[in-house]
């Protein structure tokens, strides 16, 4: 089968575990929207990579006979940029963003540190993200351990302890007793992460039909859109989904 079929119809090994995790994430999102915990913030984080600065040969193609504006598909590439962004689920505000050429584990960890520093020092912070390797990095483990005053040996990457592998690192980052707690979406479930809704808006409003003469111009238009969005468009999600029934499997999934 084509690769995209695995994304549309993922092979879920344990439906009960999958359904429980989806429900937990939905509860965090709904709790934030309805402000059930005033001193707890749910922050949705991800990267939008490879955003192209495309200059179209003709900014607006000639109008068709039917009066429709046509899109110019001949273009010049001027490079790409990567956006890291964090949405505060309780109000829809984009509370932190960074545009740059890279998004390695150091970039991501620095971005999260800055994001957390934008929030009240003693408040509980839930970070929603996917399970990309850079989101389960040694750098993040060391940062969270330092924030928690964790003075025990973290082990060694690839051989022992908390740092041993992705699963041990994930378990540590998701510990409920941590002030900064990570919650990871299941694989093939990017739709569960509210930041993806915001990326879709950015794509439609700025990037899809954009005409950029440089990466610098692209970056500036993204910055301008973020300012406008936070002032005029930001609002809590109309989130109604509460999770799957544990006993009812979806018919379009390969089980």
């Amino acid at each position: 089968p084509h690769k995209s079929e695995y994304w549309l119809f993922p092979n879920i090994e344990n439906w009960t575990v999958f359904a429980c995790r989806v429900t937990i994430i939905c509860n965090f999102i709904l709790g934030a929207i309805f402000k059930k915990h005033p001193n707890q913030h749910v922050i949705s984080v991800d990267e939008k990579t490879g955003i192209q600065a495309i200059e179209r040969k003709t900014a607006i193609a000639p109008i068709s006979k039917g009066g429709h504006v046509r899109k110019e598909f001949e273009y010049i590439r001027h490079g790409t940029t990567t956006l890291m962004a964090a949405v505060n689920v309780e109000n829809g505000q984009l509370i932190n963003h960074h545009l740059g050429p890279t998004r390695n584990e150091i970039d991501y960890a620095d971005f999260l540190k800055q994001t957390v520093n934008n929030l009240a020092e003693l408040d509980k912070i839930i970070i929603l993200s996917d399970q990309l390797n850079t989101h389960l990095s040694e750098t993040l483990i060391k940062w969270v351990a330092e924030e928690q005053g964790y003075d025990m040996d973290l082990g060694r990457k690839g051989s022992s302890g908390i740092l041993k592998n992705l699963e041990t690192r994930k378990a540590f980052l998701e510990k409920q007793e941590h002030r900064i707690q990570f919650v990871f979406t299941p694989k093939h479930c990017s739709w569960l992460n509210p930041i993806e809704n915001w990326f879709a808006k950015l794509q439609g409003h700025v990037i899809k039909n954009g005409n950029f003469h440089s990466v610098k111009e692209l970056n500036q238009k993204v910055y301008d859109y973020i300012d406008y969005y936070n002032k005029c468009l930001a609002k809590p999600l109309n989130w109604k989904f509460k999770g799957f029934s544990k006993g009812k499997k979806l018919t379009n999934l390969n089980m």
Side-chain angles (χ1 to χ4, degrees):
H2 190 274
K3 185 177 180 181
S4 63
E5 292 183 23
Y6 291 113
W7 299 338
L8 292 172
F9 308 107
N11 183 16
I12 298 172
E13 295 180 359
N14 188 317
W15 173 262
T16 301
V17 172
F18 171 80
C20 282
R21 178 159 287 264
V22 169
T23 300
I24 288 169
I25 292 169
C26 287
N27 286 341
F28 276 125
I29 292 171
L30 290 167
I33 291 170
F34 292 107
K35 297 179 174 58
K36 292 183 178 180
H37 309 287
N39 299 113
Q40 175 174 293
H41 309 286
V42 177
I43 310 300
S44 175
V45 181
D46 202 4
E47 303 102 325
K48 186 173 178 62
T49 61
I51 307 172
Q52 296 188 71
I54 288 177
E55 177 187 354
R56 304 191 184 277
K57 185 176 179 181
T58 304
I60 299 177
I63 296 176
S64 68
K65 290 182 180 179
H68 301 291
V69 176
R70 292 182 292 174
K71 188 174 180 180
E72 173 62 75
F73 285 96
E74 289 189 52
Y75 54 81
I76 303 168
R77 291 190 180 99
H78 291 292
T80 62
T81 190
T82 290
L83 171 66
M84 288 185 281
V87 163
N88 190 342
V89 176
E90 66 195 55
N91 55 25
Q93 290 278 325
L94 202 77
I95 63 168
N96 195 19
H97 57 276
H98 173 77
L99 281 159
T102 62
R103 49 114 177 159
N104 57 39
E105 72 172 75
I106 302 298
D107 296 328
Y108 185 71
D110 287 344
F111 176 75
L112 285 187
K113 291 174 188 177
Q114 186 181 54
T115 302
V116 169
N117 287 339
N118 290 339
L119 298 164
E121 187 176 355
L122 299 179
D123 284 0
K124 171 82 172 183
I125 299 168
I126 308 292
I127 297 175
L128 291 182
S129 78
D130 61 28
Q131 299 184 52
L132 194 67
N133 285 6
T134 52
H135 300 176
L136 296 157
S137 71
E138 179 178 2
T139 304
L140 280 181
I141 295 292
K142 290 181 177 179
W143 169 54
V144 172
E146 182 180 354
E147 288 288 320
Q148 284 297 123
Y150 194 86
D151 56 3
M152 297 179 66
D153 182 21
L154 296 174
R156 189 174 179 180
K157 192 174 179 179
S159 62
S160 65
I162 292 168
L163 292 174
K164 183 177 180 180
N165 55 40
L166 292 176
E167 287 304 313
T168 56
R169 297 199 289 273
K170 177 183 173 184
F172 178 78
L173 291 172
E174 288 198 317
K175 282 183 175 292
Q176 294 182 19
E177 60 266 29
H178 291 172
R179 183 179 81 87
I180 303 169
Q181 178 189 349
F182 287 73
V183 176
F184 296 100
T185 59
K187 293 179 180 179
H188 313 292
C189 283
S190 59
W191 52 270
L192 263 179
N193 203 350
I195 188 66
E196 303 302 333
N197 294 42
W198 189 87
F199 283 152
K201 290 182 175 68
L202 174 69
Q203 181 70 27
H205 294 164
V206 178
I207 298 169
K208 182 180 179 181
N209 296 312
N211 187 43
F212 313 107
H213 298 86
S214 66
V215 170
K216 182 178 180 181
E217 182 182 345
L218 168 61
N219 286 349
Q220 188 57 54
K221 289 191 177 181
V222 172
Y223 289 138
D224 292 344
Y225 177 75
I226 291 170
D227 288 340
Y228 173 77
Y229 181 87
N230 279 340
K231 290 175 183 176
C232 304
L233 302 177
K235 60 182 180 179
L237 286 170
N238 183 21
W239 192 276
K240 297 180 179 180
F241 183 58
K242 297 181 180 180
F244 299 112
S245 169
K246 295 178 186 178
K248 185 179 180 180
K249 301 175 182 179
L250 297 184
T251 57
N252 66 340
L253 294 179
N254 300 316
M255 304 303 292

